[in-house]
């Protein structure tokens, strides 16, 4: 059996990737937990952080797909023992994505009020949204730079450095959140939502600097730009384009969920903010094994080791079920305590506990979906992933949400829609993978 798919090697990639993957949700969860306990307008502030977090996550997911595209191409070259032929690609990819992020910043900053009115925010919540966003958006280019560098490391079969970068960034964000949100009497004034935004931006800048240093010092990758486009740029752009469209479909679901929750009332959007951040944290924890699948599937496909590819999928399937179940069980054991980490507002907690059980039971389902999603990205199957997510959103998520919203299920409607959506995304991936690669493995 290929040594790269041993339990030890999978976890050597997966565990650091797991830790690195939770950096972004940790930034949002830290903001949520600390903002939820401020003395002034805690519910409104929590709602605003949730709405802005949804929009910024949308931007990061849409443009951050460069990570998966770079990782897929580099890992396939590593598997084919042709790394020297791909060394110049990351510099061009990073330049393109950073330029795009600066354009997004320039276009979104002047229209922050209109953006969050579109999310149904109004009155005090809207003002907090604008204050938080107009600071936090300046971290967006740095976040995308980090994503692109992480993709490069992953392609090189290295998840250790991204883990180190993520730990430093998340730790710094937590410390700065406490200092800047609550203030230090006599030294630093309490800045509330603005303080949380500054903390996130500073953490993202630091992560970008460390990423740059490690990439230049610890790899053979050069960031020197060539005016001649690399031969793989068209394939990279095609992958990014498919993932871009796919992520637009994903964010239609997230936008509708956030918009509906906001329209139900401030307690509902605050409760939704807590639940979606916990859901995303679970997703990114599982993403460690998804990343291992992404990295190894690209390498094995490049080497045409189909039997090892099938064995890898079986192992990751089992690991995903176990991890998803552990997350669900831990959530059930600490069911009430988890809500109080984020807020003491009784009305918010009441709505949160109404749907938290759905968030928990989806964890094993999420695990399977995200692991096979990662493997398909590693194999460069971006077009199929694009079409599948468009269909899952349009034919499953939206109708489910509309039906149960009509029945007045409110937050339950949103989470039932997410559950059906994730099933519709995952099952076809499992069936397609097995149909395609089991015959190839049997003939090898």
């Amino acid at each position: 059996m290929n040594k790269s798919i041993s339990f030890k090697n999978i976890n050597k990639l997966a565990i650091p990737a797991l830790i690195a993957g939770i950096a972004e949700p940790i930034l949002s969860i830290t903001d949520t937990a600390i903002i939820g306990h401020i003395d002034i307008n805690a519910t409104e502030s929590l709602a605003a952080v949730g709405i802005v977090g949804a929009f910024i996550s949308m931007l990061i997911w849409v443009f951050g797909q460069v990570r998966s595209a770079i990782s897929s191409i580099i890992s396939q070259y590593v598997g084919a023992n042709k790394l020297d032929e791909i060394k110049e690609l990351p510099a061009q990819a990073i330049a393109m994505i950073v330029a795009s992020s600066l354009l997004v910043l320039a276009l979104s900053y002047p229209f922050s009020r209109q953006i969050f009115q579109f999310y149904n925010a109004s009155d005090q919540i809207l003002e907090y949204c604008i204050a938080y966003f107009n600071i936090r958006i300046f971290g967006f280019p740095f976040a995308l730079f980090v994503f692109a560098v992480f993709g490069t490391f992953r392609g090189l079969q290295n998840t250790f450095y991204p883990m180190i970068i993520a730990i430093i960034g998340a730790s710094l964000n937590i410390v700065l959140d406490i200092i800047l949100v609550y203030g230090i009497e006599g030294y630093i004034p309490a800045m509330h939502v603005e303080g949380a935004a500054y903390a996130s931006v500073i953490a993202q800048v630091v992560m970008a600097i460390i990423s740059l240093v490690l990439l230049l010092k610890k790899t053979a990758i050069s960031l020197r730009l060539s005016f001649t486009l690399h031969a793989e740029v068209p394939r990279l752009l095609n992958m990014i384009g498919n993932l871009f469209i796919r992520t637009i479909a994903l964010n239609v679901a997230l936008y509708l969920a956030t918009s509906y929750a906001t329209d139900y009332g401030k307690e509902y959007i605050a409760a939704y903010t807590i639940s979606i951040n916990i859901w995303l944290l679970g997703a990114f924890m599982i993403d460690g094994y998804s990343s291992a699948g992404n990295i190894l599937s690209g390498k094995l496909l490049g080497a045409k080791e189909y039997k090892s590819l099938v064995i890898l999928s079986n192992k990751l399937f089992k690991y995903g079920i176990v991890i998803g179940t552990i997350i669900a069980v831990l959530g059930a054991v600490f069911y009430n305590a988890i809500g109080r980490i984020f807020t003491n507002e009784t009305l918010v907690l009441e709505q949160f506990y109404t749907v938290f059980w759905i968030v928990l039971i989806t964890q094993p389902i999420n695990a399977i979906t995200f692991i096979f999603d990662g493997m398909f990205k590693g194999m460069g199957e971006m077009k199929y992933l694009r079409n599948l997510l468009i269909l899952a959103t349009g034919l499953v998520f939206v109708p489910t949400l509309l039906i149960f919203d009509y029945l007045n299920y409110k937050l339950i409607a949103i989470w039932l829609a997410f559950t059906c959506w994730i099933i519709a995304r995952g099952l076809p991936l499992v069936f397609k993978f097995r149909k395609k690669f089991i015959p190839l493995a049997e003939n090898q």
Side-chain angles (χ1 to χ4, degrees), residues 330-349:
L330 288 174
V333 170
F334 299 102
Y335 198 88
N336 292 318
I338 288 172
R340 289 192 292 270
I341 292 173
F342 296 94
T343 185
N344 292 320
E345 297 285 334
T346 304
L347 293 177
V348 175
L349 288 172

Side-chain angles (χ1 to χ4, degrees), residues 103-120:
L103 179 62
V104 170
L105 191 159
L107 292 175
S108 62
Y109 183 88
F111 299 103
S112 55
R113 179 173 297 276
Q114 290 81 0
I115 289 169
F116 297 110
Q117 284 175 335
F118 185 65
Y119 276 83
N120 290 326

Side-chain angles (χ1 to χ4, degrees), residues 47-63:
V49 167
I51 295 168
V52 175
F55 180 68
I56 289 182
S57 292
M58 180 271 289
L59 292 177
I60 289 175
W61 286 340
V62 167
F63 291 91

Side-chain angles (χ1 to χ4, degrees), residues 182-420:
Y182 299 138
I184 298 176
E185 190 172 351
Y187 295 94
I188 299 173
M191 289 187 275
H192 304 302
V193 292
E194 291 96 335
Y198 281 121
S200 294
V201 172
I202 294 170
Q204 287 167 330
V205 171
V206 170
M207 289 171 69
I209 293 170
I210 299 171
S211 298
L212 175 63
V213 171
L214 287 176
L215 185 68
L216 295 177
K217 296 291 185 181
K218 300 295 183 179
T219 75
I221 300 296
S222 171
L223 289 185
R224 184 177 300 168
L225 281 173
S226 169
F227 290 105
T228 303
L229 288 181
H230 191 279
E232 286 287 2
V233 166
R235 183 158 76 110
L236 177 74
L237 292 177
N238 183 57
M239 285 185 178
I240 293 173
N242 283 321
L243 290 172
F244 182 94
I245 296 169
R246 173 181 184 268
T247 311
I248 292 293
L250 183 152
N251 281 289
V252 166
L254 292 174
Y255 162 72
L256 288 173
T258 304
S259 179
Y260 272 64
T262 304
D263 199 43
Y264 295 147
K266 64 181 183 181
E267 290 82 14
Y268 290 90
I269 182 57
Y272 171 76
T273 297
I274 298 170
S275 59
I276 193 65
N277 275 295
I278 293 172
W279 188 83
L280 289 172
L281 178 63
F284 277 94
M285 290 176 69
I286 294 163
D287 188 60
Y289 286 89
S290 174
S291 298
N294 178 288
I295 294 165
L296 293 173
S297 62
K299 181 180 178 182
L300 293 172
L301 184 66
K304 298 183 179 180
E305 295 183 16
Y306 304 121
K307 189 174 292 186
S308 295
L309 191 58
V310 171
I311 294 171
L312 172 68
S313 74
N314 292 336
K315 287 187 174 185
L316 290 176
F317 187 97
K318 294 174 185 176
Y319 299 161
I321 289 289
V322 170
I323 293 169
T325 302
I326 290 171
I327 294 171
V329 169
L330 288 174
V333 170
F334 299 102
Y335 198 88
N336 292 318
I338 288 172
R340 289 192 292 270
I341 292 173
F342 296 94
T343 185
N344 292 320
E345 297 285 334
T346 304
L347 293 177
V348 175
L349 288 172
E350 182 180 322
Q351 296 304 324
F352 169 71
Y353 293 135
T354 300
V355 296
F356 187 35
W357 63 274
I358 306 178
V359 176
L360 296 179
I361 64 173
T362 61
Q363 294 304 314
I365 305 170
N366 292 351
I368 302 306
T369 298
F370 296 144
I371 282 171
F372 276 85
D373 189 269
M375 291 189 67
F376 271 70
K377 286 178 181 176
M379 295 184 295
E381 294 277 354
M382 312 309 186
K383 184 178 179 180
Y384 182 75
L385 291 173
R386 178 200 70 190
N387 293 339
L388 179 60
L389 190 55
I390 290 172
L391 291 173
T393 301
L395 300 182
V396 178
F397 182 88
V398 173
T400 305
L401 177 62
L402 292 176
I403 290 168
F404 285 100
D405 174 70
Y406 177 77
L407 296 173
N408 203 35
Y409 277 59
K410 296 187 176 178
L411 289 187
I412 291 178
I414 292 173
W415 283 105
L416 287 176
F418 272 131
T419 303
C420 295

